[in-house]
Amino acid sequence: MSFIDTHAHIYDQQFKEDIADVLERCAEADVQRIYMPNIDHTSIDAMLELENRYPQQCVPMMGLHPSSVRKHFESELYKVEEWLNRRPFAAVGEIGLDYYWDTSFKEQQKEAFRVQIDFAKQFRIPIVIHTRESFEDAIAIVEEKMEDTLTGVFHCFTGTSEEAERIVKAGFHIGLGGVSTFKNAKLDMVIPTIPIHAIVLETDSPYLAPVPHRGKRNEPSYIPLVAERVATYKQMALEEIAEKTTQNAFTLFKAS
Ligand SMILES: [Zn+2]
């Protein structure tokens, strides 16, 4: 069996002391690869350094997170573009809209989202989308920008069956993580309706650890806990969830 963590901020300060142990536990849990979403210019060095040390396990993306879109977001976008021109990345991510923490840069967030979707089209790589209290605006922009060449994933999905259906219809993947194991997230009714070909697994480490680690630091070795929950909801064997979601992740990131 093998798994892929399609979204983990494993370069975060919180892993600085014990990253070697974290990645060893990850390998022991059969999580063979970790895709690392970027945040902004402050996270790039740590992310690329980790790729340098563990090139088989840690794969970087490049993008500007919506919560880092502020007054001078244009200069951040120049840096993203510069890096995309310099070397290959697995995806443009993470990008999107976040209205939960701050809505004062809503228009700038939309602008940055659109510009970065165009980067993805230009470089022919997928987009990794973050939405928080902004699903309607985010899917509308994706639908408006939709072309055969645009693919990607709505990461950390916590929405309704109707929202999942709209994502699948756009040909996008749905990232399921620790929230799938939270009782109050009510995903037990939604996950059975999501077609298996659209599902990829993620941790979003160090955030949103699955039960029974809820509230503690999350890490990629917890992926099987998410997979087990998805297997239960989909009434499928764990081995099948591992195999299909790994295939889906390869399809998403055009990898093997
Ligand atoms: Zn993230």
Side-chain angles (χ1 to χ4, degrees):
M1 238 189 323
S2 86
F3 299 98
I4 292 185
D5 188 346
T6 59
H7 195 113
H9 302 268
I10 200 78
Y11 53 78
D12 190 275
Q13 280 289 330
Q14 292 189 42
F15 295 106
K16 214 173 171 175
E17 299 300 316
D18 63 342
I19 186 64
D21 296 337
V22 167
L23 290 176
E24 201 179 303
R25 282 197 292 277
C26 170
E28 277 163 15
D30 297 318
V31 179
Q32 55 162 302
R33 196 175 295 171
I34 302 161
Y35 285 91
M36 304 182 289
N38 189 47
I39 299 292
D40 57 30
H41 78 276
T42 65
S43 50
I44 297 172
D45 284 352
M47 180 178 72
L48 296 182
E49 193 190 303
L50 207 53
E51 179 205 25
N52 227 354
R53 280 169 68 190
Y54 305 97
Q56 305 301 324
Q57 267 175 300
C58 302
V59 183
M61 313 175 195
M62 181 50 61
L64 176 64
H65 190 289
S67 295
S68 288
V69 172
R70 294 182 200 101
K71 215 170 168 186
H72 301 292
F73 73 101
E74 281 100 343
S75 69
E76 286 275 359
L77 290 181
Y78 278 126
K79 281 196 188 81
V80 168
E81 191 179 20
E82 208 178 277
W83 272 107
L84 287 169
N85 271 308
R86 203 180 295 175
R87 49 150 292 170
F89 286 95
V92 175
E94 62 183 289
I95 64 177
L97 306 171
D98 191 317
Y99 300 164
Y100 177 78
W101 295 109
D102 189 0
T103 51
S104 44
F105 294 105
K106 221 170 169 175
E107 290 315 308
Q108 289 87 341
Q109 284 193 26
K110 286 187 195 172
E111 170 71 12
F113 189 31
R114 287 196 176 94
V115 167
Q116 293 186 95
I117 290 175
D118 290 338
F119 289 164
K121 287 182 177 178
Q122 186 191 335
F123 291 94
R124 297 177 184 279
I125 50 178
I127 54 176
V128 172
I129 306 168
H130 167 109
T131 70
R132 198 153 178 206
E133 296 188 1
S134 58
F135 179 78
E136 194 52 45
D137 283 2
I139 191 86
I141 290 175
V142 166
E143 286 166 351
E144 149 205 325
K145 291 267 184 192
M146 207 59 227
E147 276 169 29
D148 293 345
T149 54
L150 185 64
T151 59
V153 58
F154 280 77
H155 114 81
C156 190
F157 181 76
T158 57
T160 63
S161 293
E162 291 71 31
E163 291 172 349
E165 204 181 324
R166 226 166 133 189
I167 293 170
V168 174
K169 212 169 154 197
F172 272 59
H173 284 88
I174 292 174
L176 298 178
V179 178
S180 312
T181 70
F182 301 173
K183 256 200 183 122
N184 56 353
K186 299 195 176 81
L187 285 168
D188 53 330
M189 304 299 280
V190 177
I191 291 173
T193 70
I194 306 175
I196 185 67
H197 76 261
I199 298 176
V200 294
L201 304 178
E202 62 169 68
T203 58
D204 204 10
S205 301
Y207 316 105
L208 299 168
V211 172
H213 307 289
R214 190 173 181 177
K216 306 210 180 76
R217 185 186 73 170
N218 199 0
E219 61 171 67
S221 70
Y222 296 161
I223 277 281
L225 294 168
V226 178
E228 276 164 24
R229 196 59 69 100
V230 174
T232 304
Y233 291 153
K234 293 292 292 175
Q235 296 187 300
M236 288 168 69
L238 182 65
E239 290 75 13
E240 207 182 349
I241 295 292
E243 193 191 317
K244 302 265 193 217
T245 57
T246 296
Q247 269 174 19
N248 297 344
F250 286 152
T251 305
L252 168 65
F253 291 113
K254 303 177 172 74
S256 58

